[in-house]
Amino acid sequence: MKISVIGCGYLGAVHAASMAEIGHEVVGIDVDDAKIASLAKAEAPFFEPGFEELLERTLATGRLRFSTDFADAAGSAVHFVCVGTPQKRGEYAADMRYVQGAVESLLDVLSPGELVVGKSTVPVGTAAQLADLIADKAPGALLAWNPEFLREGFAVQDTLHPDRLVYGLPAGADGDTARALLDEVYAPIVERGTPKVESDYATAEMVKTAANSFLATKISFINAMAELCEATGADVKLLADAIGFDDRIGRKFLNAGLGFGGGCLPKDIRAFMARAGELGADQALTFLREVDNINMRRRIRMVELAREVCDGSLLGKRVAVLGAAFKPDSDDIRDSPALNVAAQLQLQGAVVRVTDPAAIENSRRQWPQLDYAATPEEAAERADAVLVLTEWKQYRELDPEAFGRVVKQKRVLDGRNALDREAWTAAGWTYRALGRRAG
Ligand code: UGA
C-alpha cells in the first residue's frame, strides 16, 4: 500500500520505517529539514536501539523515503498523523496545534476513499472534531483513531509486535471501509492473532490516556509505599516483589525510585485532568494530581538524601550524577527526573558532574550550566557522593571495588533501586536508596 506518515519524531519515524519493513511504500513527512536530511541518510536523529539498522534496511529497499513537502503525501491510501502533542506552556492542557496543522495540510492532498489515521495522543473529542473537518473540506475521505503504545527504548519491537491494536472507527459503512484499510496496513500483525479492539473514536482516544494514567498511578503507588517504608524502616523493593507475585497486581512498573519522566506520562496525565475539567468531570481524575505530586516529591527527597549523606550541606560538595536520560536506552531528556535532581543540587551549591551514555549532547543544550563528563569514572573523580539516577546497564554493572578508588568518599545513592546493595556495601560504600534502609 502507499502510505504517508506525517511527523517524524520517535513515533512517526519508527512507524514509517516499520510500515516499509512490512512491505508498504512509505513517505515520511516532517517540517524539520535537519531531521528529514538525517533520516534520508539512514542516520537516526535520536537514540533508539535497532532503529538505525531498520532505517538502513528499509531505505535500501526503495520503499521508504522522507520529504519536507506535504504534496508528497498525495496519492497515499492511508495517512498516519504522528505529530507531537506537548504540554502547553503554563497550562496542563495539550498543545494541539501540530495535530490541527497536520490535518489541515492533509486536506489539500486528500482524495475520496483515502483514510487519515490519528496516532498522536490527544484529548478525547479531538477525533470527532477532525472527522467533521475532513467531511466538510475533503468529502469522501475518512478518519480512524489508532493509538500507539510504543515505549522508547523498545520502539521498533513495540511497533512491529504490538500487544494489541485499537481501532477507533466511524459508524456504519465508513467504519467497515476504515477497518478494511487498517487490516490491510497491519496484515502481518493481524494475521498473527494480535488482539484487536474496535471502538468509537472517544474510546480509542481514551484507551491511550487511560493506559498511561494507569502506568503513572502504578509507579506513584509504589513510590508512596516507598515514602512509608522510609518512615517505618521497611524495604520497598521486597514489598514490590511480594505484592507483585499476585497476578492481579503484577511486578511490572512497580520499580520504586525517582519516579516517572519523559515526553509522555507527565504531560498525558496533566492533559487528561485538563480535559476532564473541560468536560465537567474533573472530580473523576483528582487522584491524578496526587499521582503527579507523589512523583515530584521523589525528586525533592533525592536532593535531601544527597544533602544528608554529604554531612548536612551540599555547598562545595562534589557530586557525580550517573544518568541524564529519563530512562535507560534513550537520549530523551524531556522532564528527566535525573536532570531535574542534578540541576537542583547545582542550584544548592554542589559541584555537579553529569554523565550519560547517550544523552550528554541533549543535556548540555538544555542545561549548559551543568558540568558533563564522558565516563562514570571521570564524573566521579574525587566525588563526595555518587548518585545513580538512570539505570543504564553500564551503571548497574559497575565494579564497586574499582569504582571506589576514583571517589573521595564512598557514598552511593541508588535513585532507581538498580544496584546490588550487598556488593556495594561489601566494597565499603555507604549505600542509600529511596524506600530502603541505609546499607
Ligand atoms: C510510555 C508508555 O509506557 C508507553 O506505553 C506509551 O506508548 C508511551 O509512554 C507514549 O505515550 O508514547 P515511555 O515514556 O517510553 O512510554 O516510558 P516508560 O517505559 O513508560 O517509562 C516512563 C517513566 O517511568 C521513566 O522515567 C521510567 O524511569 C519510569 N518508571 C517506569 C519508573 O519509575 N518505575 C517503573 O517501574 C517503570
Side-chain angles (χ1 to χ4, degrees):
M1 290 172 95
K2 281 189 78 181
I3 288 177
S4 83
V5 176
I6 315 301
C8 291
Y10 277 98
L11 168 58
V14 176
H15 191 69
S18 299
M19 292 303 101
E21 173 87 342
I22 60 179
H24 301 300
E25 197 181 310
V26 184
V27 57
I29 296 177
D30 200 291
V31 291
D32 183 335
D33 294 323
K35 198 182 279 176
I36 289 299
S38 100
L39 286 166
K41 280 188 286 183
E43 285 168 12
F46 45 79
F47 181 94
E48 182 61 48
F51 175 56
E52 212 156 69
E53 293 81 347
L54 173 71
L55 201 52
E56 237 165 66
R57 198 163 61 234
T58 46
L59 280 168
T61 64
R63 288 197 300 270
L64 176 63
R65 67 199 168 94
F66 291 96
S67 166
T68 50
D69 188 356
F70 247 93
D72 285 330
S76 291
V78 177
H79 307 268
F80 284 101
V81 174
C82 296
V83 293
T85 51
Q87 189 175 337
K88 270 191 197 163
R89 220 175 256 273
E91 273 181 61
Y92 267 16
D95 185 344
M96 294 302 294
R97 79 179 102 156
Y98 306 109
V99 171
Q100 194 70 30
V103 173
E104 277 167 15
S105 307
L106 273 176
L107 293 174
D108 300 332
V109 300
L110 277 180
S111 300
E114 292 179 5
L115 180 67
V116 177
V117 181
K119 287 195 91 60
S120 309
T121 304
V122 293
V124 55
T126 303
Q129 176 239 316
L130 294 175
D132 286 347
L133 179 69
I134 291 170
D136 186 32
K137 299 274 170 20
L142 298 174
L143 176 79
W145 214 263
N146 169 226
E148 176 62 53
F149 305 102
L150 69 81
R151 298 158 297 170
E152 290 180 21
F154 300 90
V156 174
Q157 157 78 14
D158 286 352
T159 305
L160 289 169
H161 300 272
D163 47 17
R164 79 283 211 191
L165 290 167
V166 176
Y167 297 177
L169 301 170
D174 285 349
D176 296 334
T177 312
R179 178 192 306 108
L181 281 167
L182 282 171
D183 278 347
E184 197 181 337
V185 170
Y186 293 129
I189 300 170
V190 173
E191 280 155 21
R192 207 186 293 140
T194 305
K196 193 166 76 167
V197 178
E198 294 178 7
S199 71
D200 50 86
Y201 291 144
T203 306
E205 292 166 316
M206 266 189 67
V207 167
K208 176 60 193 262
T209 34
N212 276 2
S213 298
F214 190 86
L215 294 172
T217 304
K218 205 170 173 190
I219 299 169
S220 276
F221 174 83
I222 201 64
N223 282 331
M225 294 304 111
E227 287 189 18
L228 272 175
C229 287
E230 283 153 23
T232 59
D235 186 304
V236 74
K237 206 169 173 180
L238 294 176
L239 178 91
D241 289 344
I243 63 173
F245 281 120
D246 184 334
D247 273 352
R248 293 169 303 174
I249 296 173
R251 181 63 179 81
K252 288 181 187 162
F253 268 65
L254 275 186
N255 294 321
L258 252 193
F260 58 84
C264 301
L265 301 193
K267 66 108 174 146
D268 285 353
I269 61 170
R270 293 173 194 153
F272 204 17
M273 283 186 267
R275 186 65 186 132
E278 287 168 4
L279 294 166
D282 44 343
Q283 264 193 329
L285 296 187
T286 45
F287 75 96
L288 286 179
R289 193 176 294 273
E290 201 44 42
V291 164
D292 207 355
N293 276 330
I294 295 166
N295 193 52
M296 294 317 243
R297 278 208 297 275
R298 293 288 75 189
R299 303 176 185 189
I300 296 166
R301 175 71 190 130
M302 195 68 208
V303 175
E304 276 169 16
L305 204 56
R307 192 195 328 279
E308 248 171 74
V309 303
C310 287
D311 307 318
S313 170
L314 287 166
L315 275 181
K317 298 287 164 55
R318 299 178 74 90
V319 177
V321 168
L322 274 49
F326 85 104
K327 70 176 197 180
D329 290 319
S330 171
D331 63 355
D332 195 342
I333 55 157
R334 285 176 294 172
D335 199 359
S336 164
L339 271 184
N340 182 306
V341 167
Q344 286 190 59
L345 291 168
Q346 166 113 340
L347 287 170
Q348 296 189 28
V351 181
V352 183
R353 293 201 94 184
V354 182
T355 186
D356 190 283
I360 292 183
E361 237 180 88
N362 285 344
S363 307
R364 206 193 295 276
R365 227 171 291 136
Q366 191 178 328
W367 295 98
Q369 66 276 45
L370 287 168
D371 199 11
Y372 296 94
T375 64
E377 288 74 18
E378 207 186 301
E381 210 185 322
R382 291 185 294 118
D384 294 288
V386 175
L387 275 62
V388 179
L389 302 186
T390 311
E391 69 277 34
W392 284 91
K393 186 163 179 275
Q394 292 89 317
Y395 305 155
R396 285 191 269 118
E397 291 176 350
L398 277 173
D399 171 7
E401 280 290 345
F403 201 56
R405 290 193 278 277
V406 177
V407 297
K408 185 159 128 206
Q409 303 275 1
K410 288 194 203 175
R411 299 159 171 160
V412 65
L413 274 67
D414 183 359
R416 293 290 179 182
N417 282 311
L419 303 178
D420 178 346
R421 174 164 66 178
E422 279 60 47
W424 283 77
T425 48
W429 288 76
T430 300
Y431 172 96
R432 298 295 302 270
L434 297 169
R436 305 180 78 193
R437 239 180 289 178

